[in-house]
Amino acid sequence: MRRMIETEPAAYMNPYVAGIGVGVALLISFLVLGAGLGASSGLARCAAWMEMCVLRTHVLNSDYFGKWGEHPLGYYLVFMLAGTFLGGLLSAVLACRLRVGVERGRACSVGRRATFALSGGVLVGFASRLASGCTSGQALTGTAMLLTGSIIFLVFIFVGGYASAWLVRRQWDD
């Protein structure tokens, strides 16, 4: 309770401890569910449910969404998605780090930053469904299984991230 009253943010978690925690969560997922972790399937199933509220017959007859049947939310990755969001929110509140705002550099307007974030999110979401999996599923689950394609993918994610950071760095500086 004392932490909630303080205004000074708590220190960040040790990244090695956090990494071990993710590894343990992945191991538990394999042992309990017989499957790894990911996020895009949970989002896709939420989208199927929202569309089903409006166009039920269309969704059930869809080649993509229809295969999930009458109850697309009844899937473990939907619960993982909700838990990730709620866990992050709880962590931010307990660490006194919850602030509403748009993180951006002085050279980037709020509208431009929001446009970049939304465009990037839509692009990554589309690509993850096209590839039948997201970066977290590929990187976490695939590399844990020592899949060659996943290891190569992870290397290129980092290469692409560093290249992209170099290209857009001026958005964060004067």
Side-chain angles (χ1 to χ4, degrees):
M1 186 65 179
R2 185 169 174 260
R3 167 80 58 207
M4 299 282 290
I5 297 169
E6 293 178 12
T7 57
E8 187 70 26
Y12 287 109
M13 179 180 255
N14 181 313
Y16 298 109
V17 173
I20 290 169
V22 170
V24 169
L26 181 60
L27 177 62
I28 290 170
S29 178
F30 277 125
L31 294 174
V32 173
L33 301 169
L37 301 174
S40 61
S41 292
L43 282 172
R45 285 174 175 265
C46 289
W49 177 80
M50 286 188 284
E51 189 176 349
M52 194 177 287
C53 291
V54 179
L55 300 166
R56 183 178 196 74
T57 306
H58 172 73
V59 173
L60 291 173
N61 291 327
S62 165
D63 289 337
Y64 186 74
F65 286 155
K67 63 186 173 192
W68 297 329
E70 295 277 333
H71 306 286
L73 296 181
Y75 187 61
Y76 80 101
L77 288 178
V78 173
F79 295 98
M80 190 196 87
L81 177 68
T84 300
F85 176 78
L86 294 173
L89 179 63
L90 180 64
S91 174
V93 168
L94 292 176
C96 299
R97 294 189 185 280
L98 184 64
R99 289 174 185 73
V100 177
V102 177
E103 290 201 18
R104 61 185 179 83
R106 290 181 299 272
C108 186
S109 70
V110 172
R112 178 184 239 178
R113 176 68 174 127
T115 300
F116 282 165
L118 182 63
S119 300
V122 168
L123 182 63
V124 168
F126 176 76
S128 70
R129 294 317 316 149
L130 189 64
S132 297
C134 61
T135 54
S136 59
Q138 184 77 268
L140 289 172
T141 303
T143 56
M145 297 172 62
L146 299 177
L147 299 175
T148 304
S150 294
I151 294 168
I152 293 169
F153 170 81
L154 188 58
V155 167
F156 280 97
I157 282 291
F158 278 99
V159 169
Y162 278 107
S164 299
W166 183 81
L167 290 172
V168 298
R169 183 176 315 156
R170 67 181 176 275
Q171 298 297 321
W172 293 90
D173 300 326
D174 279 333

